Amino acid sequence: MTDFKTGPLMYGIALFVVAFVIVQSVFFIVKSWKRAREIGVESEKLRQTLFSSVLFSLAPAVSILATVLALASALGIVLPWIRLSVIGNLAYESVAAENTLNVLGSSISSEVTDPQQFSTIAWTMTIGSCFPLLLLPFLCKKIHSAMGKVTAKSKSSGALGDILGAAAFIGIIAAFIARCIAGKPTDGPSAGVMSVSTLLSAMIFTIALDYLCKKKKLTKLEPFVLPIAMFGAMGIAVLFTQVLPPEIAQLTWR
């Protein structure tokens, strides 16, 4: 029996979405290139811009691939592929799926086998990501003005803006770290040796790569620090699962 998460219908939807995104991208590239030539931009400068844009997109693409792989164990490969081909990121997609499964009495670490649960997760992830697209055109200017007033009160307004953005991001990450270390009171797998070791591995990889970038001035490596650390931590988790005794690798706590 074909798995509903990876059936022909799902792959058909995925191929349609990916084809639409590619066609749309090519359309705007061609239109932009023609317009640039009309206003006198040199072909060499256009080629350099195109090449730099391709290089700049590699790091986010690797991060997206890591997110797809992280969600694939529970949702299959197709739904995360569809979601992240359009809009989304690790923080939103995993939180939306995890919160939905928690309400349904399950966990993102377990494979979803109920079509109704799968459908609910898909709708939650999709509808939730639509709100920024609907609200930002009306609220973005007001939010930007409010942020400007806050940062303008500081002598180093740019630094304060960076701090506010970093604080919001750290708050999201802190929720994952707390769950990784302490587990959760709801039903489902508890935190344990593997979750903590994966977390520590990711931290070590990130710190080491960040130090290497600053020490050797490897500016081209900086955008790849996060995806490399994610894949490195995944590799360490697989390695520990294979080499550690089962009673240690499977040790969990609340």
Side-chain angles (χ1 to χ4, degrees):
M1 182 178 178
T2 304
D3 186 356
F4 65 88
K5 299 189 295 295
T6 57
L9 176 61
M10 291 298 299
Y11 272 108
I13 296 174
L15 292 174
F16 172 79
V17 171
V18 171
F20 180 84
V21 172
I22 293 174
V23 170
Q24 183 185 56
S25 301
V26 172
F27 172 80
F28 283 109
I29 289 173
V30 172
K31 296 287 287 187
S32 300
W33 189 285
K34 289 182 177 179
R35 180 55 182 164
R37 294 297 296 145
E38 288 175 0
I39 62 177
V41 180
E42 298 178 357
S43 298
E44 181 62 27
K45 184 173 292 186
L46 287 174
R47 284 192 290 268
Q48 291 177 356
T49 302
L50 180 62
F51 182 71
S52 62
S53 299
V54 171
L55 291 179
F56 183 77
S57 66
L58 290 178
V62 175
S63 299
I64 288 172
L65 176 60
T67 307
V68 171
L69 296 177
L71 295 173
S73 59
L75 303 176
I77 196 72
V78 185
L79 179 60
W81 177 25
I82 294 172
R83 292 288 311 119
L84 291 160
S85 295
V86 183
I87 184 173
N89 53 52
L90 175 61
Y92 168 73
E93 303 298 339
S94 55
V95 168
E98 178 75 14
N99 289 342
T100 305
L101 284 168
N102 286 344
V103 172
L104 298 174
S106 185
S107 169
I108 196 66
S109 59
S110 303
E111 181 181 2
V112 176
T113 57
D114 185 354
Q116 186 173 358
Q117 290 187 357
F118 182 80
S119 176
T120 303
I121 294 168
W123 276 109
T124 302
M125 296 166 72
T126 303
I127 294 176
S129 63
C130 291
F131 281 99
L133 302 177
L134 298 174
L135 296 177
L136 282 178
F138 304 100
L139 301 179
C140 186
K141 187 175 181 179
K142 293 182 179 179
I143 295 173
H144 184 73
S145 299
M147 289 289 291
K149 292 179 181 179
V150 173
T151 57
K153 295 179 181 179
S154 172
K155 293 182 179 179
S156 55
S157 58
L160 180 58
D162 293 339
I163 291 172
L164 291 174
F169 180 75
I170 291 172
I172 296 174
I173 299 301
F176 289 97
I177 294 176
R179 180 171 295 178
C180 178
I181 296 175
K184 53 184 180 178
T186 57
D187 295 333
S190 302
V193 170
M194 291 308 303
S195 60
V196 174
S197 62
T198 304
L199 169 64
L200 293 177
S201 300
M203 293 172 61
I204 293 171
F205 277 119
T206 303
I207 294 172
L209 290 169
D210 185 62
Y211 175 80
L212 181 64
C213 290
K214 292 180 179 178
K215 187 72 174 178
K216 301 297 183 179
K217 297 181 179 180
L218 302 175
T219 55
K220 293 184 179 180
L221 180 62
E222 290 178 356
F224 296 91
V225 169
L226 178 59
I228 291 175
M230 291 175 65
F231 280 112
M234 291 179 188
I236 293 296
V238 173
L239 178 63
F240 282 1
T241 302
Q242 299 297 320
V243 301
L244 290 177
E247 58 272 15
I248 296 179
Q250 299 175 9
L251 178 63
T252 60
W253 57 79
R254 284 285 182 183

